[in-house]
Amino acid sequence: MHLPKIKIPKKYIKIGAWIIGVFVILLILSGSIAYSKREALLKKMMAKAVSKADKDYGLQVKIGEAGFSGLSTVHMKDITVVPRARDTLTEINDIIIGVKLWPLIFGNVKLSELNLNKGILNIVFKDSLSNLDFILKRKKKDSTETKASVNLSTLAHDLLNQLLYKIPDNMEIKNLMLKVNDNDTAKLKFYTPTATITDGKLNSTIIVNDEESIWHLNGLVKPGKKQLDVILFAENKPVELPYLNHKLHARLSFDTVRTQMKNAGYSGDDFKIEGSWAVKNLLINHEKIASNDVVIPDAKIDANLLVGPNYIALDSSSTVFLKQASIHPYLKYTLSPDKIYEVKLQAPEQDAQQVLNSFPKGLFESLEGLKVSGKVRYDLSFYLNSSEPDSVKFYSGLTPTNFKILHWGKTNLQKINKEFVYTPYENGKKMRDIVIGPSNPNFTPLSEVSSNFKNAILTSEDPSFFTHKGFVQESIRKSFAVNFKEKKFVRGGSTISMQLVKNVFLSRQKTLARKAEEILIVWLIENNHLMTKNRMLEVYFNIIEMGQNVYGIGEATRHYFGKSPAELNIGEGIFLANIVPRPKIALYKFRADGGLKDYLYPYFKYIGSIMAKRGLTPPDSSGYGFYNVHLREGLRQYLLPDSSTIDTTAFDTDDPLPAIETQDDSKTLFDKLFGSPKKDSVNKSAVVAPDTVKKTRKELRQERREQRRKENELEELLEKQKKEAKPS
């Protein structure tokens, strides 16, 4: 089938040709006029930019010479940028900038060429001021303006484009210096003798601190395709910045860092950036992370970053690789209408030894050399809506499959099943060696510990000890809620298992590495049944600090009451449980006559009533033995006069009391004795003493802080009195 040919009249062809011709002529005329006036336009635009920099940012910008050196290239000389009342920020001797014409028609400035010869970027910090303060000035001004809600995906798209547009197709930089002066105490210099981009290939040399080190930043840059692949490394040594040690008291170094951006574009309403980041031999040393160097030999993350209209997320399709182990992270931060924090980690089932070998060196010192078999899987989820912190969701689970310990490493986790030596430390100083076993006369078998103390400490410290596997998810969940509301760490989720591991196997340094190691050791002990719960509790009772150089229930009962642990009454049991969080101020809790101070009465009523509800002690309307607690006479000489008493009803522990589980009559005797791990509810009204009901939480916190301050002062006086007192 043939379609008939359409004949266009010649007059229409002539008209079309004339229109196109006129358009071309107009375009040429406009271009000619613009070309002839481009110098004037350039000066006008420069004057406008200089004025705006001064008005909006307080920057004094001076340009010695400026003019076109080609169709779309501008040549400038002797440029200076000086923030008002600050040190000079930038000096550039000679620079040529070329832009692409076609994007310029649509209002986009894309660099095609950049040649710079001799320049200095000088960043100065003096006390609380710097010559970068102008950035904050603009932000402050913007914050006062009423703006519509910002679409984050659009913002991310625009910012990335602006960044990529500033990467030229061809570049040659010579003699560029970056100086950082931090209050004249720390100085940095980065000198770039040469840096080039030729057809997308980046090559650079960076001399750090007068040849202290030589770095190279090389790779491929293709801004038009939104692709980058660059690597940073140093010659014959790791990349390291001593400046961080001065500024952050941290040491950080690595052999190489590689950054890739593979693609960027919209995926529905989200702006998606696909890339990866890899590092070799990353070394980190900071007192809050670990007491020694932590080294990650080989790490990589394949990341898919999503920026939505109101959130930023690392998608679950991302993967973190540590040697042969892998984990899929999901992180999401929603900004509006409520701030929401979401974290999910999912490590698929994989070889347990490979996972163990993948841990950074220096992170788990006590487990070095440990050999295992089987497989493990890990899952974590966390969700917190800032408007509803009490509804925070948390789950963490390490699931083993045919997991076995084949060979102990540096530390034998079963050593406490036999007699062993425990060495407590205070502020890094060794106190003394304590034998935990029958050869020590103060050692007390669990069967010889009064149930009054046993039940009191389980109630206050860890009510579900005999049923959990080292962790109580609900307690950890509630600690997140409390700490978020208080904006600081005020409540932990430690169990007796965790306290035992911390004291017996680990240093007392408060670092992230030690906490992570503690969690892993607890899991190994509890899930592999390396010791019985009774033995764990027995050891805990015999090592727990209960006063100034007083360790274990045996020493404590003789020290305070002149009794054996089996003879403790209900009041003495509750008292000893009360001093566990702050054992060194135990003597301050007594009056000069040896009786307890009145502010402790609400604590006794609270703990006692919980114990009574669980069937662990008879109901008592007179304070559950509060009036039957008397310090032995030999210690009363060290007590302060009653005139020094602080009259308060606030609890004196550093952390709030852990949530205590209430029991109902339908539960078994086992449940009543040891609690259930599935619930962790508290009778809130029981916590508040009658005369504190009308006080706000802020007032109570202030009382507690003031009380602790005075207690610390009195503790120092008490120690001084003890040293000056003669033996009786």
Side-chain angles (χ1 to χ4, degrees):
M1 179 178 180
H2 297 282
L3 294 174
K5 292 183 179 181
I6 300 175
K7 292 183 179 181
I8 301 175
K10 290 183 179 181
K11 65 176 182 178
Y12 293 128
I13 295 176
K14 290 181 180 180
I15 292 172
W18 274 102
I19 292 173
I20 294 173
V22 170
F23 179 77
V24 170
I25 292 171
L26 289 174
L27 192 62
I28 293 172
L29 287 173
S30 299
S32 300
I33 294 171
Y35 185 82
S36 64
K37 295 184 177 295
R38 60 182 184 158
E39 296 290 346
L41 289 172
L42 176 63
K43 290 181 180 180
K44 184 176 180 180
M45 291 176 62
M46 287 173 52
K48 185 177 180 181
V50 168
S51 176
K52 182 176 178 63
D54 184 39
K55 180 180 178 182
D56 291 351
Y57 297 102
L59 295 176
Q60 297 176 356
V61 180
K62 294 182 179 180
I63 303 173
E65 296 180 27
F68 283 92
S69 60
L71 182 63
S72 60
T73 56
V74 177
H75 189 185
M76 292 181 285
K77 292 184 178 181
D78 301 326
I79 303 170
T80 60
V81 179
V82 183
R84 190 175 295 126
R86 299 285 189 273
D87 293 88
T88 298
L89 178 64
T90 305
E91 292 180 359
I92 298 176
N93 282 25
D94 195 302
I95 187 171
I96 296 175
I97 301 174
V99 298
K100 295 181 179 181
L101 291 176
W102 183 252
L104 195 61
I105 295 174
F106 298 95
N108 295 322
V109 180
K110 290 187 178 182
L111 299 186
S112 61
E113 179 184 0
L114 174 64
N115 295 320
L116 185 149
N117 184 26
K118 199 174 182 180
I120 297 177
L121 178 60
N122 188 46
I123 300 175
V124 179
F125 297 95
K126 287 184 179 180
D127 299 323
S128 60
L129 303 176
S130 82
N131 58 352
L132 296 177
D133 292 342
F134 65 90
I135 299 174
L136 300 177
K137 289 180 181 179
R138 182 62 182 176
K139 287 184 177 180
K140 185 176 180 181
K141 181 179 178 181
D142 289 344
S143 65
T144 61
E145 299 174 2
T146 303
K147 293 186 176 181
S149 178
V150 177
N151 186 306
L152 294 182
S153 60
T154 303
L155 180 63
H157 170 268
D158 294 343
L159 288 176
L160 181 63
N161 279 348
Q162 289 301 317
L163 175 64
L164 294 175
Y165 290 165
K166 301 307 181 283
I167 300 176
D169 293 335
N170 294 285
M171 177 186 77
E172 184 176 10
I173 292 177
K174 294 181 179 179
N175 305 316
L176 177 64
M177 175 73 78
L178 167 62
K179 292 182 178 180
V180 179
N181 187 335
D182 190 350
N183 289 298
D184 295 323
T185 58
K187 297 182 180 181
L188 272 175
K189 288 196 294 185
F190 298 93
Y191 172 60
T192 304
T194 177
T196 63
I197 297 177
T198 305
D199 296 327
K201 292 182 179 180
L202 168 66
N203 289 282
S204 67
T205 299
I206 304 168
I207 299 174
V208 182
N209 293 342
D210 298 323
E211 298 191 2
E212 179 184 280
S213 182
I214 299 176
W215 296 357
H216 295 282
L217 183 66
N218 298 340
L220 292 173
V221 289
K222 298 179 180 179
K225 295 182 178 180
K226 294 184 172 62
Q227 294 178 350
L228 301 171
D229 187 354
V230 295
I231 184 170
L232 174 65
F233 62 95
E235 289 185 7
N236 305 318
K237 62 188 298 186
V239 175
E240 186 172 9
L241 274 179
Y243 173 77
L244 291 178
N245 193 18
H246 167 79
K247 191 68 177 177
L248 305 175
H249 304 291
R251 185 183 171 203
L252 177 70
S253 69
F254 53 84
D255 286 350
T256 62
V257 162
R258 182 180 181 183
T259 303
Q260 290 180 289
M261 185 172 71
K262 301 174 183 178
N263 191 25
Y266 278 101
S267 176
D269 292 334
D270 301 334
F271 186 68
K272 183 178 182 180
I273 303 173
E274 300 176 41
S276 68
W277 185 84
V279 64
K280 299 284 188 182
N281 291 322
L282 174 64
L283 183 149
I284 303 172
N285 188 309
H286 191 277
E287 60 180 5
K288 296 297 183 183
I289 296 175
S291 58
N292 49 275
D293 292 345
V294 175
V295 180
I296 304 174
D298 191 357
K300 179 183 178 183
I301 176 171
D302 287 335
N304 292 318
L305 182 67
L306 297 177
V307 183
N310 65 335
Y311 70 85
I312 302 172
L314 182 65
D315 191 66
S316 58
S317 59
S318 305
T319 307
V320 176
F321 300 94
L322 290 172
K323 288 187 176 179
Q324 294 176 300
S326 63
I327 190 168
H328 300 291
Y330 173 77
L331 308 174
K332 185 177 181 181
Y333 175 48
T334 303
L335 282 77
S336 61
D338 298 321
K339 290 183 179 180
I340 299 175
Y341 308 86
E342 296 178 69
V343 178
K344 291 183 181 179
L345 298 177
Q346 193 271 317
E349 188 173 81
Q350 47 202 306
D351 184 82
Q353 188 64 53
Q354 289 183 358
V355 172
L356 198 61
N357 294 341
S358 299
F359 289 143
K361 297 177 181 179
L363 188 63
F364 299 144
E365 288 186 287
S366 62
L367 298 177
E368 289 179 2
L370 181 67
K371 302 298 181 184
V372 299
S373 64
K375 296 183 177 182
V376 290
R377 170 192 173 93
Y378 181 68
D379 296 278
L380 177 143
S381 62
F382 174 85
Y383 179 93
L384 189 150
N385 187 323
S386 60
S387 65
E388 300 175 343
D390 289 324
S391 298
V392 59
K393 298 177 182 178
F394 174 79
Y395 170 79
S396 175
L398 184 61
T399 307
T401 301
N402 299 323
F403 182 89
K404 291 182 181 180
I405 297 174
L406 304 177
H407 175 73
W408 294 114
K410 186 177 179 179
T411 302
N412 184 344
L413 301 182
Q414 287 184 302
K415 73 174 186 178
I416 68 174
N417 283 329
K418 301 177 181 179
E419 186 171 279
F420 70 100
V421 177
Y422 169 63
T423 306
Y425 287 81
E426 288 189 17
N427 300 318
K429 180 182 177 182
K430 177 181 176 180
M431 299 301 292
R432 56 191 168 98
D433 289 335
I434 304 172
V435 176
I436 307 301
S439 63
N440 179 357
N442 283 318
F443 176 78
T444 308
L446 187 62
S447 59
E448 296 178 17
V449 177
S450 168
S451 61
N452 290 317
F453 171 73
K454 185 190 306 181
N455 292 331
I457 203 164
L458 285 173
T459 299
S460 61
E461 292 289 306
D462 192 351
S464 58
F465 170 74
F466 280 92
T467 55
H468 66 59
K469 290 187 176 182
F471 313 97
V472 180
Q473 303 269 357
E474 181 63 9
S475 292
I476 298 173
R477 188 193 71 79
K478 288 185 176 180
S479 71
F480 279 123
V482 172
N483 296 333
F484 180 83
K485 289 187 290 186
E486 296 293 335
K487 306 301 180 186
K488 60 181 179 179
F489 185 83
V490 296
R491 170 175 173 166
S494 291
T495 61
I496 285 178
S497 305
M498 297 170 73
Q499 295 178 49
L500 177 68
V501 165
K502 175 182 68 176
N503 285 288
V504 174
F505 297 108
L506 303 173
S507 69
R508 300 304 298 271
Q509 294 174 325
K510 295 181 179 180
T511 65
L512 292 174
R514 197 221 66 190
K515 191 65 179 179
E517 190 171 13
E518 172 190 316
I519 292 170
L520 184 56
I521 292 176
V522 169
W523 183 87
L524 288 169
I525 289 174
E526 290 273 11
N527 283 270
N528 292 277
H529 309 292
L530 300 183
M531 61 199 71
T532 65
K533 286 282 191 176
N534 281 335
R535 177 59 178 171
M536 293 174 70
L537 195 62
E538 183 177 75
V539 173
Y540 176 72
F541 284 167
N542 280 277
I543 67 170
I544 189 171
E545 183 182 5
M546 304 193 80
Q548 184 67 42
N549 201 21
V550 177
Y551 295 92
I553 186 63
E555 291 185 15
T557 54
R558 293 172 179 85
H559 179 72
Y560 294 111
F561 308 121
K563 293 182 175 182
S564 70
E567 298 173 312
L568 293 173
N569 60 41
I570 182 64
E572 292 163 343
I574 293 177
F575 167 78
L576 291 175
N578 170 265
I579 69 173
V580 168
R582 304 191 74 211
K584 289 183 176 62
I585 63 168
L587 287 180
Y588 167 69
K589 299 173 187 290
F590 291 96
R591 301 191 307 267
D593 63 0
L596 289 173
K597 293 182 178 178
D598 293 339
Y599 80 92
L600 282 172
Y601 184 81
Y603 178 90
F604 274 67
K605 290 285 290 183
Y606 172 60
I607 293 295
S609 64
I610 296 296
M611 293 172 65
K613 290 177 182 178
R614 297 172 63 189
L616 304 177
T617 190
D620 182 358
S621 60
S622 62
Y624 293 93
F626 172 81
Y627 298 105
N628 296 326
V629 180
H630 298 284
L631 185 68
R632 67 180 177 88
E633 292 188 6
L635 281 180
R636 297 180 191 178
Q637 61 179 311
Y638 303 117
L639 299 178
L640 293 175
D642 288 342
S643 59
S644 301
T645 300
I646 301 172
D647 186 13
T648 177
T649 58
F651 295 129
D652 66 332
T653 55
D654 286 327
D655 298 330
L657 286 171
I660 308 299
E661 180 183 9
T662 56
Q663 306 291 334
D664 59 47
D665 296 334
S666 64
K667 294 196 173 182
T668 64
L669 177 61
F670 188 83
D671 289 332
K672 289 184 178 181
L673 287 174
F674 306 120
S676 167
K678 295 182 180 179
K679 292 184 179 180
D680 200 10
S681 57
V682 180
N683 181 357
K684 300 287 185 182
S685 61
V687 179
V688 184
D691 55 348
T692 65
V693 172
K694 296 181 181 179
K695 297 181 180 180
T696 65
R697 294 180 65 186
K698 182 177 180 180
E699 290 171 334
L700 288 173
R701 287 197 301 271
Q702 290 173 340
E703 282 186 5
R704 294 188 188 105
R705 284 195 295 268
E706 178 64 15
Q707 179 190 346
R708 285 195 292 269
R709 185 187 66 78
K710 292 181 178 179
E711 284 177 346
N712 290 333
E713 292 177 355
L714 291 171
E715 182 183 352
E716 293 176 3
L717 290 173
L718 185 61
E719 288 300 312
K720 185 177 180 180
Q721 281 188 345
K722 287 174 66 177
K723 292 178 181 178
E724 295 175 351
K726 295 180 180 180
S728 57

